[in-house]
Amino acid sequence: MISSVRLKPLNWLPHIAPVEISEATPEQLDAMKVTPSAKKVSEYVRTLVHDPESYVARTVLFNAIMYVSGGLARPDRELGALGASIVNGCKYCAVVHARRHAELTKSDYLVTALYLEKPETLGPRDAAIYSFARRLSAAPSEATEEDIASLRSVGMDDIEIIDLIHATSIFGWANRLMHVLGHAESAK
């Protein structure tokens, strides 16, 4: 039996001053409307919105990959994001997507297993998804037909596999943006 790991939220601290809402241009304010969060507009969003056109393009794509209905189940998308973020060393994204996976599945078993470095305790589908996300993140050119066959062997169809590739791949980009633009720190 694996003891449960409780991941505390992290704060993301920008290296570039975020746009202040009170000082945002009409274009920046309009761009921030594509943010899916019902919560406050984060410092990360306010940092990215320095370039409102790029922010909108990035966020529309991100939303289409992570929040679209149909295809790969949302927890599986989060697992792909988590695997990528762990490989890419983005602690902030890893914690966010680990917590989101646990919330969606109403279980922290998978997250605990991964954070205790016991992926061998995962079920076959989760293990295949996690393994593929890590491999795709570490060396995309080394992903093979056998990797796709492994996903198919646990019941994934082509649409789910493509969705997993999208979810994992966008975190190659998202993690790099977060690393360059700021750093994670334990929440106080």
Side-chain angles (χ1 to χ4, degrees):
M1 180 79 182
I2 296 176
S3 296
S4 187
V5 170
R6 300 281 181 225
L7 297 175
K8 294 181 181 176
L10 297 175
N11 290 324
W12 182 78
L13 304 172
H15 299 306
I16 296 172
V19 170
E20 293 298 329
I21 300 290
S22 61
E23 298 171 13
T25 66
E27 293 81 13
Q28 290 168 328
L29 290 170
D30 196 44
M32 287 185 274
K33 292 178 184 174
V34 301
T35 303
S37 175
K39 302 172 187 169
K40 70 175 187 131
V41 176
S42 70
E43 287 187 324
Y44 180 60
V45 167
R46 292 187 298 115
T47 301
L48 291 175
V49 84
H50 278 288
D51 180 351
E53 187 176 340
S54 292
Y55 173 73
V56 168
R58 170 248 176 238
T59 305
V60 168
L61 178 61
F62 185 89
N63 293 348
I65 289 170
M66 293 304 290
Y67 304 122
V68 68
S69 56
L72 189 63
R74 207 33 223 295
D76 294 341
R77 291 171 199 264
E78 297 296 340
L79 179 52
L82 172 58
S85 297
I86 289 171
V87 168
N88 295 328
C90 188
K91 292 178 185 174
Y92 182 85
C93 289
V95 167
V96 166
H97 295 283
R99 290 171 57 95
R100 182 94 20 90
H101 184 278
E103 175 186 301
L104 291 167
T105 61
K106 299 186 181 2
S107 170
D108 62 0
Y109 181 83
L110 178 139
V111 170
T112 297
L114 297 182
Y115 275 84
L116 294 178
E117 297 182 7
K118 296 185 182 281
E120 69 278 2
T121 65
L122 300 179
R125 183 178 173 97
D126 288 338
I129 290 169
Y130 182 67
S131 176
F132 181 77
R134 289 184 58 84
R135 184 169 171 103
L136 185 60
S137 298
S141 63
E142 293 180 16
T144 66
E145 289 180 43
E146 289 80 23
D147 293 310
I148 301 299
S150 174
L151 296 172
R152 285 195 177 112
S153 76
V154 295
M156 292 179 70
D157 64 28
D158 289 348
I159 298 298
E160 291 175 308
I161 293 168
I162 290 169
D163 286 348
L164 177 59
I165 292 167
H166 284 151
T168 302
S169 297
I170 200 161
F171 275 86
W173 182 25
N175 297 154
R176 282 158 183 79
L177 283 172
M178 296 220 60
H179 283 298
V180 173
L181 294 174
H183 67 278
E185 178 178 280
S186 295
K188 296 182 177 154

